[in-house]
Amino acid sequence: MANKTEIFALFGNPVAHSLSALMHNAAYRKMGMEALYVPFCVKDIAEAIRAARVLGIRGASITIPFKTDVMASLDEIDPSARTIGAVNTVFSREGKLFGFNTDWTGLLAALRTHFDPAGKTFAILGAGGAARAALHAVRQSGGGPLLVNRSMERAQKVAAEFGCPFLELSRIGAVRADCLINATPIGMSPHADASPVCREALVNFKWVMDMIYNPLETRLLREAREVGSYPISGLDMLVHQGAEQIRLWTGVEPPRALMREIVLENLT
Ligand code: NAP
C-alpha cells in the first residue's frame, strides 16, 4: 500500500530552537491529516531545495538565513514575496516549486485581531526582511508607514523602494503614529533588558507591536502596557504566519487557537 503521509519541511540554520514543528504537527493532528513537519538544519539551501524536489516534499518553511537566497532555486515567486525580497514558504504544485511570503499576511492577521490598519499611521523599526514584510503589509492594507532605522544608508534605500518617508532610530522620540512595530532583534532573549524605544516615547503610539516572541512580553511591550498603549505580541504573528502556510499548502483553515496554545505552552 502506498504511503500517503505528506511531508513538510523547515529549512534553516539553526533550527533547534524553532517551535514551528510542534505548532504544525499539532495542527495536522487536529485536522486529521496524515502529515509530518520536519525541521532540517541545512548548510546549502540550493541543495536542500533539490532534495525537496527529489523527495516530493509538499511544502517547506524557510527561515534564517535563507529567506532571500532560496528565491534563486524556485520556479516561480509570488509578486508580494518578490516585492518584499524574501520567501518564507515553498509550495510544490504540479511539479513546480512556488515561493510565497506569509510573514506579511501573518502580521496583518495579527494586527487585525486588534484594529483595522486601513488609514492608520505606522512607525516601523528596522530595515531587514521583517521590516520589509511590515512595509508591504501596511501598504497593502491602506496604512501609512514611516521607516525608522539605525543605518541611514539602508533606511534610505528601503524607503525609496517602498515609497515611504524614513528617519534615524535615534530620533524615534519625535515620532507620533497610531502603531509602532518593532522589526529589529532589540530586546530578544538573552538581551531581554534592551528596548529600541525609551519608555517616555511610547505614549506616542496607541498600539505597540513587537515581532519578537521570546520573551513573550519584551521590555518594549511591558513598558507600552505600563504607559497605557495596547501591546501586540510577536507570538500572534508567529502563529498566523504558520497558519497561513498551512492554509496555502492544504487549502484548509487550520486550528489557530490550538497552534497558539502549543507555542505558548512551550515558550514558558
Ligand atoms: P535583519 O534582517 O537582521 O534586520 C534587522 C534590523 O534590525 C536591521 O535593520 C538592523 O539595523 C536593526 N538592528 C539590529 N540590531 C540593532 C541594534 N542593536 N540597534 C539598532 N538596530 C538594530 O532581521 P529580520 O530578519 O528583519 O528580523 C527582525 C526581527 O523580527 C527578529 O527579531 C526576528 O526574530 C523577528 N521576526 C519575527 C517573526 C514572527 O513571526 N514573529 C517573523 C519574522 C521576523 P541596521 O540596518 O542599522 O543594521
Side-chain angles (χ1 to χ4, degrees), residues 64 67 103 125-132 149-152 154-155 169 182-186 188 209-213 234-239 241:
I64 285 172
K67 287 186 185 181
D103 281 335
L125 309 184
R132 295 177 65 98
N149 195 46
R150 174 179 60 182
S151 140
M152 275 295 83
R154 197 170 180 197
L169 182 57
N182 179 31
T184 79
I186 306 170
M188 185 155 63
M209 150 115 208
D210 202 331
M211 288 198 187
I212 295 169
Y213 55 86
L235 170 70
D236 296 337
M237 177 176 171
L238 176 75
V239 168
Q241 63 78 30

PDB file of all heavy atoms in Angstrom, residues 64 67 103 125-132 149-152 154-155 169 182-186 188 209-213 234-239 241, ligand 1:
ATOM      1  N   ILE A  64      15.755  31.868   8.753  1.00  0.00           N
ATOM      2  CA  ILE A  64      17.097  32.474   8.781  1.00  0.00           C
ATOM      3  C   ILE A  64      18.176  31.431   8.521  1.00  0.00           C
ATOM      4  O   ILE A  64      18.102  30.351   9.108  1.00  0.00           O
ATOM      5  CB  ILE A  64      17.314  33.152  10.173  1.00  0.00           C
ATOM      6  CG1 ILE A  64      16.509  34.467  10.212  1.00  0.00           C
ATOM      7  CG2 ILE A  64      18.766  33.415  10.479  1.00  0.00           C
ATOM      8  CD1 ILE A  64      16.472  35.139  11.574  1.00  0.00           C
ATOM      9  N   LYS A  67      16.016  33.160   3.586  1.00  0.00           N
ATOM     10  CA  LYS A  67      14.762  33.663   3.004  1.00  0.00           C
ATOM     11  C   LYS A  67      14.969  34.383   1.661  1.00  0.00           C
ATOM     12  O   LYS A  67      14.060  34.412   0.835  1.00  0.00           O
ATOM     13  CB  LYS A  67      14.049  34.597   3.985  1.00  0.00           C
ATOM     14  CG  LYS A  67      13.410  33.866   5.165  1.00  0.00           C
ATOM     15  CD  LYS A  67      12.601  34.830   6.006  1.00  0.00           C
ATOM     16  CE  LYS A  67      12.058  34.175   7.259  1.00  0.00           C
ATOM     17  NZ  LYS A  67      11.251  35.100   8.073  1.00  0.00           N
ATOM     18  N   ASP A 103       4.969  36.061   6.094  1.00  0.00           N
ATOM     19  CA  ASP A 103       5.266  36.966   7.220  1.00  0.00           C
ATOM     20  C   ASP A 103       4.340  38.184   7.141  1.00  0.00           C
ATOM     21  O   ASP A 103       3.837  38.659   8.157  1.00  0.00           O
ATOM     22  CB  ASP A 103       6.730  37.422   7.182  1.00  0.00           C
ATOM     23  CG  ASP A 103       7.676  36.347   7.718  1.00  0.00           C
ATOM     24  OD1 ASP A 103       7.225  35.504   8.509  1.00  0.00           O
ATOM     25  OD2 ASP A 103       8.858  36.353   7.324  1.00  0.00           O
ATOM     26  N   LEU A 125      10.223  49.923  12.882  1.00  0.00           N
ATOM     27  CA  LEU A 125      11.632  49.943  13.273  1.00  0.00           C
ATOM     28  C   LEU A 125      12.376  48.803  12.603  1.00  0.00           C
ATOM     29  O   LEU A 125      11.984  47.646  12.754  1.00  0.00           O
ATOM     30  CB  LEU A 125      11.776  49.781  14.793  1.00  0.00           C
ATOM     31  CG  LEU A 125      10.946  50.690  15.694  1.00  0.00           C
ATOM     32  CD1 LEU A 125      11.314  50.446  17.154  1.00  0.00           C
ATOM     33  CD2 LEU A 125      11.153  52.151  15.319  1.00  0.00           C
ATOM     34  N   GLY A 126      13.463  49.146  11.874  1.00  0.00           N
ATOM     35  CA  GLY A 126      14.258  48.125  11.194  1.00  0.00           C
ATOM     36  C   GLY A 126      14.163  48.302   9.696  1.00  0.00           C
ATOM     37  O   GLY A 126      13.278  49.026   9.191  1.00  0.00           O
ATOM     38  N   ALA A 127      15.086  47.642   8.989  1.00  0.00           N
ATOM     39  CA  ALA A 127      15.072  47.737   7.526  1.00  0.00           C
ATOM     40  C   ALA A 127      15.465  46.406   6.902  1.00  0.00           C
ATOM     41  O   ALA A 127      15.870  46.345   5.750  1.00  0.00           O
ATOM     42  CB  ALA A 127      16.018  48.853   7.069  1.00  0.00           C
ATOM     43  N   GLY A 128      15.367  45.323   7.689  1.00  0.00           N
ATOM     44  CA  GLY A 128      15.681  43.984   7.191  1.00  0.00           C
ATOM     45  C   GLY A 128      14.435  43.324   6.598  1.00  0.00           C
ATOM     46  O   GLY A 128      13.434  43.996   6.304  1.00  0.00           O
ATOM     47  N   GLY A 129      14.501  41.998   6.469  1.00  0.00           N
ATOM     48  CA  GLY A 129      13.407  41.261   5.845  1.00  0.00           C
ATOM     49  C   GLY A 129      12.073  41.427   6.568  1.00  0.00           C
ATOM     50  O   GLY A 129      11.021  41.567   5.933  1.00  0.00           O
ATOM     51  N   ALA A 130      12.112  41.431   7.901  1.00  0.00           N
ATOM     52  CA  ALA A 130      10.867  41.547   8.670  1.00  0.00           C
ATOM     53  C   ALA A 130      10.257  42.939   8.496  1.00  0.00           C
ATOM     54  O   ALA A 130       9.029  43.078   8.373  1.00  0.00           O
ATOM     55  CB  ALA A 130      11.143  41.269  10.146  1.00  0.00           C
ATOM     56  N   ALA A 131      11.110  43.958   8.464  1.00  0.00           N
ATOM     57  CA  ALA A 131      10.611  45.324   8.262  1.00  0.00           C
ATOM     58  C   ALA A 131      10.019  45.464   6.855  1.00  0.00           C
ATOM     59  O   ALA A 131       8.987  46.121   6.659  1.00  0.00           O
ATOM     60  CB  ALA A 131      11.739  46.331   8.461  1.00  0.00           C
ATOM     61  N   ARG A 132      10.638  44.825   5.888  1.00  0.00           N
ATOM     62  CA  ARG A 132      10.131  44.889   4.501  1.00  0.00           C
ATOM     63  C   ARG A 132       8.752  44.208   4.415  1.00  0.00           C
ATOM     64  O   ARG A 132       7.852  44.686   3.720  1.00  0.00           O
ATOM     65  CB  ARG A 132      11.114  44.231   3.544  1.00  0.00           C
ATOM     66  CG  ARG A 132      12.454  44.957   3.436  1.00  0.00           C
ATOM     67  CD  ARG A 132      13.397  44.192   2.522  1.00  0.00           C
ATOM     68  NE  ARG A 132      12.892  44.181   1.164  1.00  0.00           N
ATOM     69  CZ  ARG A 132      13.300  45.012   0.203  1.00  0.00           C
ATOM     70  NH1 ARG A 132      14.251  45.894   0.448  1.00  0.00           N
ATOM     71  NH2 ARG A 132      12.782  44.950  -0.995  1.00  0.00           N
ATOM     72  N   ASN A 149      15.220  53.506  11.165  1.00  0.00           N
ATOM     73  CA  ASN A 149      16.316  52.530  11.244  1.00  0.00           C
ATOM     74  C   ASN A 149      17.594  53.163  11.769  1.00  0.00           C
ATOM     75  O   ASN A 149      17.766  54.377  11.726  1.00  0.00           O
ATOM     76  CB  ASN A 149      16.578  51.937   9.851  1.00  0.00           C
ATOM     77  CG  ASN A 149      17.426  50.676   9.917  1.00  0.00           C
ATOM     78  OD1 ASN A 149      17.162  49.794  10.737  1.00  0.00           O
ATOM     79  ND2 ASN A 149      18.440  50.571   9.078  1.00  0.00           N
ATOM     80  N   ARG A 150      18.478  52.292  12.282  1.00  0.00           N
ATOM     81  CA  ARG A 150      19.774  52.758  12.796  1.00  0.00           C
ATOM     82  C   ARG A 150      20.645  53.266  11.647  1.00  0.00           C
ATOM     83  O   ARG A 150      21.126  54.381  11.680  1.00  0.00           O
ATOM     84  CB  ARG A 150      20.457  51.593  13.511  1.00  0.00           C
ATOM     85  CG  ARG A 150      21.860  51.873  13.959  1.00  0.00           C
ATOM     86  CD  ARG A 150      22.437  50.669  14.668  1.00  0.00           C
ATOM     87  NE  ARG A 150      22.488  49.472  13.826  1.00  0.00           N
ATOM     88  CZ  ARG A 150      22.913  48.284  14.233  1.00  0.00           C
ATOM     89  NH1 ARG A 150      23.310  48.110  15.480  1.00  0.00           N
ATOM     90  NH2 ARG A 150      22.943  47.253  13.412  1.00  0.00           N
ATOM     91  N   SER A 151      20.814  52.449  10.612  1.00  0.00           N
ATOM     92  CA  SER A 151      21.654  52.861   9.484  1.00  0.00           C
ATOM     93  C   SER A 151      20.826  53.678   8.492  1.00  0.00           C
ATOM     94  O   SER A 151      19.840  53.188   7.938  1.00  0.00           O
ATOM     95  CB  SER A 151      22.256  51.616   8.817  1.00  0.00           C
ATOM     96  OG  SER A 151      22.247  51.765   7.423  1.00  0.00           O
ATOM     97  N   MET A 152      21.255  54.915   8.276  1.00  0.00           N
ATOM     98  CA  MET A 152      20.511  55.796   7.373  1.00  0.00           C
ATOM     99  C   MET A 152      20.636  55.354   5.919  1.00  0.00           C
ATOM    100  O   MET A 152      19.716  55.515   5.120  1.00  0.00           O
ATOM    101  CB  MET A 152      21.032  57.244   7.503  1.00  0.00           C
ATOM    102  CG  MET A 152      20.399  58.024   8.611  1.00  0.00           C
ATOM    103  SD  MET A 152      18.631  58.300   8.374  1.00  0.00           S
ATOM    104  CE  MET A 152      17.908  56.817   8.962  1.00  0.00           C
ATOM    105  N   ARG A 154      20.864  52.308   4.724  1.00  0.00           N
ATOM    106  CA  ARG A 154      19.933  51.206   4.461  1.00  0.00           C
ATOM    107  C   ARG A 154      18.482  51.713   4.480  1.00  0.00           C
ATOM    108  O   ARG A 154      17.655  51.311   3.665  1.00  0.00           O
ATOM    109  CB  ARG A 154      20.146  50.123   5.516  1.00  0.00           C
ATOM    110  CG  ARG A 154      19.565  48.791   5.146  1.00  0.00           C
ATOM    111  CD  ARG A 154      20.034  47.760   6.135  1.00  0.00           C
ATOM    112  NE  ARG A 154      19.506  46.454   5.831  1.00  0.00           N
ATOM    113  CZ  ARG A 154      19.499  45.448   6.707  1.00  0.00           C
ATOM    114  NH1 ARG A 154      20.006  45.614   7.909  1.00  0.00           N
ATOM    115  NH2 ARG A 154      19.008  44.283   6.374  1.00  0.00           N
ATOM    116  N   ALA A 155      18.194  52.608   5.438  1.00  0.00           N
ATOM    117  CA  ALA A 155      16.831  53.144   5.550  1.00  0.00           C
ATOM    118  C   ALA A 155      16.438  53.859   4.251  1.00  0.00           C
ATOM    119  O   ALA A 155      15.333  53.676   3.735  1.00  0.00           O
ATOM    120  CB  ALA A 155      16.750  54.119   6.725  1.00  0.00           C
ATOM    121  N   LEU A 169      16.841  56.027  13.828  1.00  0.00           N
ATOM    122  CA  LEU A 169      16.287  55.446  15.063  1.00  0.00           C
ATOM    123  C   LEU A 169      16.481  56.366  16.275  1.00  0.00           C
ATOM    124  O   LEU A 169      15.613  56.438  17.147  1.00  0.00           O
ATOM    125  CB  LEU A 169      16.927  54.069  15.314  1.00  0.00           C
ATOM    126  CG  LEU A 169      16.444  53.283  16.525  1.00  0.00           C
ATOM    127  CD1 LEU A 169      14.929  53.050  16.480  1.00  0.00           C
ATOM    128  CD2 LEU A 169      17.167  51.944  16.634  1.00  0.00           C
ATOM    129  N   ASN A 182       8.069  46.885  16.103  1.00  0.00           N
ATOM    130  CA  ASN A 182       9.496  46.599  16.217  1.00  0.00           C
ATOM    131  C   ASN A 182       9.855  45.417  15.329  1.00  0.00           C
ATOM    132  O   ASN A 182       9.476  44.285  15.606  1.00  0.00           O
ATOM    133  CB  ASN A 182       9.887  46.282  17.666  1.00  0.00           C
ATOM    134  CG  ASN A 182      11.367  45.949  17.773  1.00  0.00           C
ATOM    135  OD1 ASN A 182      12.188  46.475  16.997  1.00  0.00           O
ATOM    136  ND2 ASN A 182      11.729  45.095  18.715  1.00  0.00           N
ATOM    137  N   ALA A 183      10.604  45.693  14.261  1.00  0.00           N
ATOM    138  CA  ALA A 183      11.097  44.631  13.370  1.00  0.00           C
ATOM    139  C   ALA A 183      12.621  44.563  13.447  1.00  0.00           C
ATOM    140  O   ALA A 183      13.295  44.316  12.444  1.00  0.00           O
ATOM    141  CB  ALA A 183      10.620  44.869  11.937  1.00  0.00           C
ATOM    142  N   THR A 184      13.153  44.822  14.648  1.00  0.00           N
ATOM    143  CA  THR A 184      14.585  44.613  14.904  1.00  0.00           C
ATOM    144  C   THR A 184      14.690  43.526  15.983  1.00  0.00           C
ATOM    145  O   THR A 184      13.705  43.254  16.675  1.00  0.00           O
ATOM    146  CB  THR A 184      15.280  45.889  15.452  1.00  0.00           C
ATOM    147  OG1 THR A 184      14.978  46.021  16.849  1.00  0.00           O
ATOM    148  CG2 THR A 184      14.860  47.148  14.713  1.00  0.00           C
ATOM    149  N   PRO A 185      15.894  42.945  16.163  1.00  0.00           N
ATOM    150  CA  PRO A 185      16.024  41.941  17.239  1.00  0.00           C
ATOM    151  C   PRO A 185      16.280  42.556  18.612  1.00  0.00           C
ATOM    152  O   PRO A 185      16.527  41.816  19.568  1.00  0.00           O
ATOM    153  CB  PRO A 185      17.228  41.103  16.785  1.00  0.00           C
ATOM    154  CG  PRO A 185      17.899  41.854  15.703  1.00  0.00           C
ATOM    155  CD  PRO A 185      17.095  43.038  15.323  1.00  0.00           C
ATOM    156  N   ILE A 186      16.197  43.878  18.760  1.00  0.00           N
ATOM    157  CA  ILE A 186      16.499  44.521  20.052  1.00  0.00           C
ATOM    158  C   ILE A 186      15.461  44.116  21.099  1.00  0.00           C
ATOM    159  O   ILE A 186      14.259  44.357  20.899  1.00  0.00           O
ATOM    160  CB  ILE A 186      16.523  46.061  19.925  1.00  0.00           C
ATOM    161  CG1 ILE A 186      17.494  46.501  18.818  1.00  0.00           C
ATOM    162  CG2 ILE A 186      16.893  46.717  21.253  1.00  0.00           C
ATOM    163  CD1 ILE A 186      17.400  47.983  18.474  1.00  0.00           C
ATOM    164  N   MET A 188      15.395  40.874  22.255  1.00  0.00           N
ATOM    165  CA  MET A 188      15.209  39.426  22.159  1.00  0.00           C
ATOM    166  C   MET A 188      16.096  38.724  23.193  1.00  0.00           C
ATOM    167  O   MET A 188      17.223  39.165  23.441  1.00  0.00           O
ATOM    168  CB  MET A 188      15.577  38.959  20.744  1.00  0.00           C
ATOM    169  CG  MET A 188      15.315  37.502  20.475  1.00  0.00           C
ATOM    170  SD  MET A 188      15.066  37.191  18.721  1.00  0.00           S
ATOM    171  CE  MET A 188      16.625  37.660  18.042  1.00  0.00           C
ATOM    172  N   MET A 209       3.498  46.920  18.639  1.00  0.00           N
ATOM    173  CA  MET A 209       3.657  45.502  18.270  1.00  0.00           C
ATOM    174  C   MET A 209       5.138  45.156  18.271  1.00  0.00           C
ATOM    175  O   MET A 209       5.957  45.907  17.724  1.00  0.00           O
ATOM    176  CB  MET A 209       3.079  45.313  16.872  1.00  0.00           C
ATOM    177  CG  MET A 209       3.717  44.224  16.062  1.00  0.00           C
ATOM    178  SD  MET A 209       2.539  42.926  15.750  1.00  0.00           S
ATOM    179  CE  MET A 209       3.611  41.514  15.595  1.00  0.00           C
ATOM    180  N   ASP A 210       5.492  44.042  18.890  1.00  0.00           N
ATOM    181  CA  ASP A 210       6.876  43.572  18.847  1.00  0.00           C
ATOM    182  C   ASP A 210       6.894  42.254  18.079  1.00  0.00           C
ATOM    183  O   ASP A 210       6.150  41.336  18.424  1.00  0.00           O
ATOM    184  CB  ASP A 210       7.412  43.365  20.277  1.00  0.00           C
ATOM    185  CG  ASP A 210       8.930  43.420  20.305  1.00  0.00           C
ATOM    186  OD1 ASP A 210       9.548  43.075  19.279  1.00  0.00           O
ATOM    187  OD2 ASP A 210       9.486  43.820  21.338  1.00  0.00           O
ATOM    188  N   MET A 211       7.721  42.156  17.041  1.00  0.00           N
ATOM    189  CA  MET A 211       7.789  40.889  16.295  1.00  0.00           C
ATOM    190  C   MET A 211       8.497  39.803  17.102  1.00  0.00           C
ATOM    191  O   MET A 211       8.367  38.619  16.818  1.00  0.00           O
ATOM    192  CB  MET A 211       8.507  41.096  14.966  1.00  0.00           C
ATOM    193  CG  MET A 211       7.706  41.871  13.952  1.00  0.00           C
ATOM    194  SD  MET A 211       8.389  41.594  12.325  1.00  0.00           S
ATOM    195  CE  MET A 211       7.428  42.760  11.364  1.00  0.00           C
ATOM    196  N   ILE A 212       9.247  40.221  18.118  1.00  0.00           N
ATOM    197  CA  ILE A 212       9.941  39.246  18.979  1.00  0.00           C
ATOM    198  C   ILE A 212       8.902  38.488  19.817  1.00  0.00           C
ATOM    199  O   ILE A 212       7.958  39.097  20.315  1.00  0.00           O
ATOM    200  CB  ILE A 212      10.929  39.991  19.910  1.00  0.00           C
ATOM    201  CG1 ILE A 212      12.038  40.636  19.070  1.00  0.00           C
ATOM    202  CG2 ILE A 212      11.506  39.059  20.975  1.00  0.00           C
ATOM    203  CD1 ILE A 212      12.905  41.605  19.852  1.00  0.00           C
ATOM    204  N   TYR A 213       9.090  37.159  19.958  1.00  0.00           N
ATOM    205  CA  TYR A 213       8.159  36.401  20.805  1.00  0.00           C
ATOM    206  C   TYR A 213       8.883  35.678  21.938  1.00  0.00           C
ATOM    207  O   TYR A 213       8.262  34.950  22.713  1.00  0.00           O
ATOM    208  CB  TYR A 213       7.320  35.421  19.974  1.00  0.00           C
ATOM    209  CG  TYR A 213       8.138  34.476  19.137  1.00  0.00           C
ATOM    210  CD1 TYR A 213       8.627  33.290  19.651  1.00  0.00           C
ATOM    211  CD2 TYR A 213       8.427  34.796  17.815  1.00  0.00           C
ATOM    212  CE1 TYR A 213       9.381  32.438  18.884  1.00  0.00           C
ATOM    213  CE2 TYR A 213       9.188  33.949  17.034  1.00  0.00           C
ATOM    214  CZ  TYR A 213       9.660  32.774  17.574  1.00  0.00           C
ATOM    215  OH  TYR A 213      10.428  31.929  16.800  1.00  0.00           O
ATOM    216  N   GLY A 234       4.595  39.283  19.396  1.00  0.00           N
ATOM    217  CA  GLY A 234       5.137  38.623  18.209  1.00  0.00           C
ATOM    218  C   GLY A 234       4.634  37.193  18.080  1.00  0.00           C
ATOM    219  O   GLY A 234       4.674  36.599  17.001  1.00  0.00           O
ATOM    220  N   LEU A 235       4.148  36.635  19.200  1.00  0.00           N
ATOM    221  CA  LEU A 235       3.590  35.286  19.176  1.00  0.00           C
ATOM    222  C   LEU A 235       2.418  35.205  18.190  1.00  0.00           C
ATOM    223  O   LEU A 235       2.260  34.220  17.468  1.00  0.00           O
ATOM    224  CB  LEU A 235       3.103  34.914  20.591  1.00  0.00           C
ATOM    225  CG  LEU A 235       2.289  33.647  20.712  1.00  0.00           C
ATOM    226  CD1 LEU A 235       3.158  32.427  20.480  1.00  0.00           C
ATOM    227  CD2 LEU A 235       1.630  33.555  22.082  1.00  0.00           C
ATOM    228  N   ASP A 236       1.607  36.247  18.167  1.00  0.00           N
ATOM    229  CA  ASP A 236       0.442  36.248  17.269  1.00  0.00           C
ATOM    230  C   ASP A 236       0.884  36.184  15.806  1.00  0.00           C
ATOM    231  O   ASP A 236       0.317  35.455  14.997  1.00  0.00           O
ATOM    232  CB  ASP A 236      -0.422  37.497  17.507  1.00  0.00           C
ATOM    233  CG  ASP A 236      -1.019  37.488  18.913  1.00  0.00           C
ATOM    234  OD1 ASP A 236      -1.121  36.392  19.488  1.00  0.00           O
ATOM    235  OD2 ASP A 236      -1.359  38.564  19.423  1.00  0.00           O
ATOM    236  N   MET A 237       1.948  36.931  15.480  1.00  0.00           N
ATOM    237  CA  MET A 237       2.463  36.914  14.099  1.00  0.00           C
ATOM    238  C   MET A 237       3.034  35.535  13.762  1.00  0.00           C
ATOM    239  O   MET A 237       2.796  35.000  12.679  1.00  0.00           O
ATOM    240  CB  MET A 237       3.536  37.992  13.937  1.00  0.00           C
ATOM    241  CG  MET A 237       4.174  38.000  12.566  1.00  0.00           C
ATOM    242  SD  MET A 237       5.352  39.362  12.424  1.00  0.00           S
ATOM    243  CE  MET A 237       6.128  38.963  10.862  1.00  0.00           C
ATOM    244  N   LEU A 238       3.763  34.957  14.726  1.00  0.00           N
ATOM    245  CA  LEU A 238       4.350  33.627  14.508  1.00  0.00           C
ATOM    246  C   LEU A 238       3.255  32.605  14.189  1.00  0.00           C
ATOM    247  O   LEU A 238       3.364  31.823  13.244  1.00  0.00           O
ATOM    248  CB  LEU A 238       5.119  33.193  15.765  1.00  0.00           C
ATOM    249  CG  LEU A 238       5.694  31.785  15.706  1.00  0.00           C
ATOM    250  CD1 LEU A 238       6.919  31.746  14.810  1.00  0.00           C
ATOM    251  CD2 LEU A 238       6.042  31.266  17.102  1.00  0.00           C
ATOM    252  N   VAL A 239       2.202  32.644  14.983  1.00  0.00           N
ATOM    253  CA  VAL A 239       1.115  31.676  14.800  1.00  0.00           C
ATOM    254  C   VAL A 239       0.401  31.919  13.463  1.00  0.00           C
ATOM    255  O   VAL A 239       0.169  30.981  12.686  1.00  0.00           O
ATOM    256  CB  VAL A 239       0.107  31.770  15.973  1.00  0.00           C
ATOM    257  CG1 VAL A 239      -1.161  30.999  15.675  1.00  0.00           C
ATOM    258  CG2 VAL A 239       0.764  31.270  17.257  1.00  0.00           C
ATOM    259  N   GLN A 241       1.534  33.468  10.724  1.00  0.00           N
ATOM    260  CA  GLN A 241       2.321  33.170   9.520  1.00  0.00           C
ATOM    261  C   GLN A 241       2.382  31.663   9.280  1.00  0.00           C
ATOM    262  O   GLN A 241       2.365  31.209   8.137  1.00  0.00           O
ATOM    263  CB  GLN A 241       3.704  33.851   9.524  1.00  0.00           C
ATOM    264  CG  GLN A 241       4.695  33.445  10.614  1.00  0.00           C
ATOM    265  CD  GLN A 241       5.379  32.107  10.358  1.00  0.00           C
ATOM    266  OE1 GLN A 241       5.573  31.723   9.212  1.00  0.00           O
ATOM    267  NE2 GLN A 241       5.722  31.399  11.408  1.00  0.00           N
TER     268      GLN A 241
HETATM  269  P1  NAP B   1      17.548  41.526   9.977  1.00  0.00           P
HETATM  270  O1  NAP B   1      17.374  41.330   8.514  1.00  0.00           O
HETATM  271  O2  NAP B   1      18.812  41.087  10.617  1.00  0.00           O
HETATM  272  O3  NAP B   1      17.289  43.106  10.262  1.00  0.00           O
HETATM  273  C1  NAP B   1      17.486  43.609  11.483  1.00  0.00           C
HETATM  274  C2  NAP B   1      17.243  45.140  11.502  1.00  0.00           C
HETATM  275  O4  NAP B   1      17.369  45.490  12.857  1.00  0.00           O
HETATM  276  C3  NAP B   1      18.249  45.959  10.704  1.00  0.00           C
HETATM  277  O5  NAP B   1      17.599  46.998  10.037  1.00  0.00           O
HETATM  278  C4  NAP B   1      19.194  46.490  11.783  1.00  0.00           C
HETATM  279  O6  NAP B   1      19.608  47.836  11.570  1.00  0.00           O
HETATM  280  C5  NAP B   1      18.333  46.514  13.009  1.00  0.00           C
HETATM  281  N1  NAP B   1      19.152  46.248  14.198  1.00  0.00           N
HETATM  282  C6  NAP B   1      19.717  45.063  14.562  1.00  0.00           C
HETATM  283  N2  NAP B   1      20.385  45.210  15.729  1.00  0.00           N
HETATM  284  C7  NAP B   1      20.248  46.522  16.089  1.00  0.00           C
HETATM  285  C8  NAP B   1      20.714  47.298  17.197  1.00  0.00           C
HETATM  286  N3  NAP B   1      21.444  46.747  18.173  1.00  0.00           N
HETATM  287  N4  NAP B   1      20.383  48.605  17.241  1.00  0.00           N
HETATM  288  C9  NAP B   1      19.645  49.169  16.267  1.00  0.00           C
HETATM  289  N5  NAP B   1      19.175  48.485  15.184  1.00  0.00           N
HETATM  290  C10 NAP B   1      19.469  47.181  15.101  1.00  0.00           C
HETATM  291  O7  NAP B   1      16.413  40.780  10.807  1.00  0.00           O
HETATM  292  P2  NAP B   1      14.937  40.365  10.307  1.00  0.00           P
HETATM  293  O8  NAP B   1      15.011  39.031   9.642  1.00  0.00           O
HETATM  294  O9  NAP B   1      14.357  41.505   9.587  1.00  0.00           O
HETATM  295  O10 NAP B   1      14.193  40.103  11.713  1.00  0.00           O
HETATM  296  C11 NAP B   1      13.981  41.134  12.659  1.00  0.00           C
HETATM  297  C12 NAP B   1      13.244  40.604  13.880  1.00  0.00           C
HETATM  298  O11 NAP B   1      11.933  40.166  13.545  1.00  0.00           O
HETATM  299  C13 NAP B   1      13.929  39.396  14.551  1.00  0.00           C
HETATM  300  O12 NAP B   1      13.864  39.576  15.947  1.00  0.00           O
HETATM  301  C14 NAP B   1      13.068  38.213  14.138  1.00  0.00           C
HETATM  302  O13 NAP B   1      13.102  37.161  15.072  1.00  0.00           O
HETATM  303  C15 NAP B   1      11.695  38.881  14.090  1.00  0.00           C
HETATM  304  N6  NAP B   1      10.722  38.150  13.254  1.00  0.00           N
HETATM  305  C16 NAP B   1       9.618  37.636  13.868  1.00  0.00           C
HETATM  306  C17 NAP B   1       8.664  36.947  13.110  1.00  0.00           C
HETATM  307  C18 NAP B   1       7.449  36.397  13.806  1.00  0.00           C
HETATM  308  O14 NAP B   1       6.760  35.558  13.215  1.00  0.00           O
HETATM  309  N7  NAP B   1       7.098  36.847  14.999  1.00  0.00           N
HETATM  310  C19 NAP B   1       8.834  36.787  11.740  1.00  0.00           C
HETATM  311  C20 NAP B   1       9.982  37.352  11.133  1.00  0.00           C
HETATM  312  C21 NAP B   1      10.913  38.015  11.909  1.00  0.00           C
HETATM  313  P3  NAP B   1      20.805  48.239  10.559  1.00  0.00           P
HETATM  314  O15 NAP B   1      20.173  48.295   9.207  1.00  0.00           O
HETATM  315  O16 NAP B   1      21.223  49.584  11.072  1.00  0.00           O
HETATM  316  O17 NAP B   1      21.850  47.179  10.706  1.00  0.00           O
END
